[in-house]
C-alpha cells in the first residue's frame, strides 16, 4: 500500500516549533499519544504498516538557504524507524495568486494514483488549507485508486496566557462538504436545505 502524507513546514523566523503531546479528540488512535513537533508524525506512526511505501511531502516557503524546521521534521521522521521518501516542495514567500496556483500545480504534480492520502493543516499560511483541499480533491477525483483517509489539525488551548491542553482533530469531514453540495445541486429537489440536512445528519429524525 502506498501512503502519502502532506504537511506544511513553518518558516523558522515565524514559528518556534515545539514538541507537543496531542490527545486525539474525535478519532481513535492505535498507538498511545506521543510528543511530536509535527502533528502528521503520530498519524504516520498510527497508520503506516510494515511493507507500505511511505511518501512524505513537506511544503514550505523559502526565505533562507537553510530551514531548521525542515531538519527537525526530517529527524522526527527518522525516529519512527520506517523507510520513507521525503519531498521538499518549496515555494516563494508570497501570497500572490500566481504563486498559489504554482503551489497547486507543484503539489498535484507530486501526487500519484493508487495511494491513501493523509494531510495536516496545522502549520502554513492562511491560504494553505484552501490550496491543499483543492489538491486533495484533484487526487481523489482525477487519480485512479486514491482515497483521502484523514485531514488533521492540532489545537493548543490557553487560558490567561497559560497552555491548558493540546488536542488533535480529524477534520476530513469538512473535506467532504464539496461532494455533499454537489449531490444537493444535482439532486433535482426543491428543498435543498432539507436535503443537505438529511445528508449531513442522517441519524436525526426528519
Amino acid at each position: 500500500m502506498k501512503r502519502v502524507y502532506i504537511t506544511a513546514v513553518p518558516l523558522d523566523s515565524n514559528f518556534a516549533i515545539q514538541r507537543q503531546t496531542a490527545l486525539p479528540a474525535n478519532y481513535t488512535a492505535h498507538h498511545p499519544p506521543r510528543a511530536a513537533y509535527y502533528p502528521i508524525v503520530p498519524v504516520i506512526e498510527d497508520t503506516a504498516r510494515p511493507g507500505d511505501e511511505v511518501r512524505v511531502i513537506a511544503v514550505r516557503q523559502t526565505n533562507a538557504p537553510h530551514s531548521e524546521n525542515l531538519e527537525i521534521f526530517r529527524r522526527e521522521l527518522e525516529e519512527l524507524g520506517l523507510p520513507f521518501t521525503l519531498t521538499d516542495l518549496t515555494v516563494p514567500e508570497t501570497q500572490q495568486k500566481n504563486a498559489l496556483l504554482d503551489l497547486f500545480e507543484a503539489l498535484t504534480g507530486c501526487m500519484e494514483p493508487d495511494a491513501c492520502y493523509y494531510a495536516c493543516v496545522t502549520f502554513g499560511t492562511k491560504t494553505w488549507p484552501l490550496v491543499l483541499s483543492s489538491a486533495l480533491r484533484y487526487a481523489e477525483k482525477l487519480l485512479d485508486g486514491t482515497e483521502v483517509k484523514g485531514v488533521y489539525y492540532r489545537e493548543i488551548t490557553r487560558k490567561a496566557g497559560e497552555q491548558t491542553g493540546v488536542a488533535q482533530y480529524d477534520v476530513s469531514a469538512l473535506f467532504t462538504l464539496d461532494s455533499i453540495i454537489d449531490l444537493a445541486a444535482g439532486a433535482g429537489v426543491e428543498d435543498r436545505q432539507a436535503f443537505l440536512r438529511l445528508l449531513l445528519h442522517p441519524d436525526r429524525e426528519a
Side-chain angles (χ1 to χ4, degrees), residues 6-122:
I6 307 170
T7 187
V9 174
L11 284 169
D12 295 1
S13 57
N14 290 356
F15 199 96
I17 196 167
Q18 296 178 336
R19 282 190 190 269
Q20 300 281 353
T21 301
L23 302 179
N26 64 339
Y27 66 98
T28 301
H30 301 291
H31 291 80
R34 71 191 305 274
Y37 288 103
Y38 285 84
I40 200 69
V41 170
V43 173
I44 297 173
E45 182 181 49
D46 208 49
T47 56
R49 303 288 183 264
D52 284 347
E53 179 184 346
V54 176
R55 289 198 53 222
V56 183
I57 302 173
V59 178
R60 64 186 181 95
Q61 293 180 298
T62 54
N63 65 356
H66 175 78
S67 170
E68 180 58 28
N69 282 342
L70 178 63
E71 293 309 310
I72 288 172
F73 186 40
R74 193 191 308 274
R75 291 194 296 268
E76 192 162 40
L77 290 172
E78 291 171 349
E79 289 173 5
L80 292 177
L82 298 170
F84 68 91
T85 58
L86 176 62
T87 299
D88 176 16
L89 184 58
T90 59
V91 294
E93 188 187 2
T94 175
Q95 297 301 300
Q96 295 294 330
K97 180 185 72 173
N98 288 343
L100 297 176
L101 294 177
D102 288 344
L103 171 57
F104 171 80
E105 185 176 14
L107 186 54
T108 54
C110 294
M111 291 178 160
E112 302 178 37
D114 302 312
C116 294
Y117 283 82
Y118 307 79
C120 179
V121 296
T122 304

Side-chain angles (χ1 to χ4, degrees), residues 120-164:
C120 179
V121 296
T122 304
F123 302 134
T125 62
K126 289 181 172 61
T127 56
W128 162 243
L130 298 173
V131 177
L132 175 62
S133 179
S134 295
L136 290 174
R137 292 197 63 77
Y138 159 85
E140 191 170 64
K141 295 291 186 180
L142 300 180
L143 298 180
D144 292 334
T146 62
E147 184 179 0
V148 176
K149 301 288 284 186
V151 181
Y152 299 88
Y153 174 73
R154 185 168 71 188
E155 178 188 48
I156 299 175
T157 55
R158 293 183 172 85
K159 185 175 182 179
E162 297 294 327
Q163 182 172 311
T164 57

